[in-house]
Amino acid sequence: MKYTADICDSNEKKIDTGEIRILNPVFKPYAKKNHIAGQILTVKAFEDNSLVRSSLEKPGNGRVLVVDGAASYRCALFGGALGKLAEKNGWSGVIIFGCVRDSHEIIQCNIGVWAIAAHPRKSKKMGAGEVGKVIEIRGTKIYTNEYCVADNDGILISSVNFEELD
């Protein structure tokens, strides 16, 4: 598995053309794994984690769930129970453009988790949002079935599998 800094060093032209996109450095790591890679499933969920849960209930097959939570600081979209569920179902990791909670439990899960902050309040559960649609995080569009590599240096997105790059 390749690290983000190494990928950037050897693929500057692909970054310049937008073939490889770098998410804004607003994310912090919250879990045991600090280096993940996989194909993406997108979820758009504003202060409602119902679709996050239902997505993680399905087999992950090493995928990365990328959640556009609209950077809400009013509640968490992911917690310890979902961390255990993601690990059990074979997800590589979860990236939340929003908050997590139960960080003391998430750190024990053998997945990668990045979010913008921790917040103690749980989200609503009304089934609102979308799965598998294009999401946008701080100007970066992300599509289901694209690829993600994340580590403590950053998060990269591309339509090309990073394992196929130099």
Side-chain angles (χ1 to χ4, degrees):
M1 200 177 333
K2 299 175 182 178
Y3 287 91
T4 58
D6 296 331
I7 293 168
C8 287
D9 288 352
S10 58
N11 291 280
E12 287 189 37
K13 286 184 180 163
K14 286 181 171 65
I15 293 168
D16 291 342
T17 64
E19 189 174 345
I20 295 175
R21 284 121 43 222
I22 304 167
L23 290 187
N24 277 295
V26 296
F27 296 91
K28 298 178 216 165
Y30 283 92
K32 185 183 289 187
K33 272 185 151 179
N34 60 11
H35 185 228
I36 63 167
Q39 203 162 21
I40 293 170
L41 175 65
T42 61
V43 172
K44 188 170 189 148
F46 182 71
E47 297 181 2
D48 179 343
N49 77 346
S50 304
L51 295 179
V52 175
R53 172 175 287 283
S54 65
S55 296
L56 294 173
E57 287 173 343
K58 297 178 176 111
N61 301 317
R63 290 181 295 169
V64 177
L65 188 68
V66 181
V67 180
D68 176 4
S72 173
Y73 285 101
R74 299 192 310 191
C75 66
L77 293 174
F78 186 86
L82 292 183
K84 291 174 189 160
L85 182 63
E87 180 181 17
K88 175 181 151 253
N89 288 333
W91 290 84
S92 178
V94 180
I95 297 168
I96 307 273
F97 190 48
C99 296
V100 298
R101 64 186 238 149
D102 305 320
S103 57
H104 63 287
E105 293 176 19
I106 293 171
I107 193 71
Q108 297 174 29
C109 298
N110 193 31
I111 58 170
V113 177
W114 283 261
I116 60 171
H119 195 290
R121 186 178 185 193
K122 67 182 179 179
S123 76
K124 295 178 176 29
K125 309 215 179 343
M126 301 179 332
E130 297 179 316
V131 177
K133 305 284 182 165
V134 178
I135 61 173
E136 190 169 326
I137 296 177
R138 291 239 171 134
T140 300
K141 288 188 179 181
I142 303 167
Y143 300 82
T144 285
N145 295 326
E146 286 193 303
Y147 295 89
C148 173
V149 172
D151 59 29
N152 289 339
D153 288 335
I155 300 169
L156 304 180
I157 307 292
S158 178
S159 59
V160 176
N161 188 336
F162 289 97
E163 295 303 316
E164 298 171 7
L165 298 174
D166 295 332

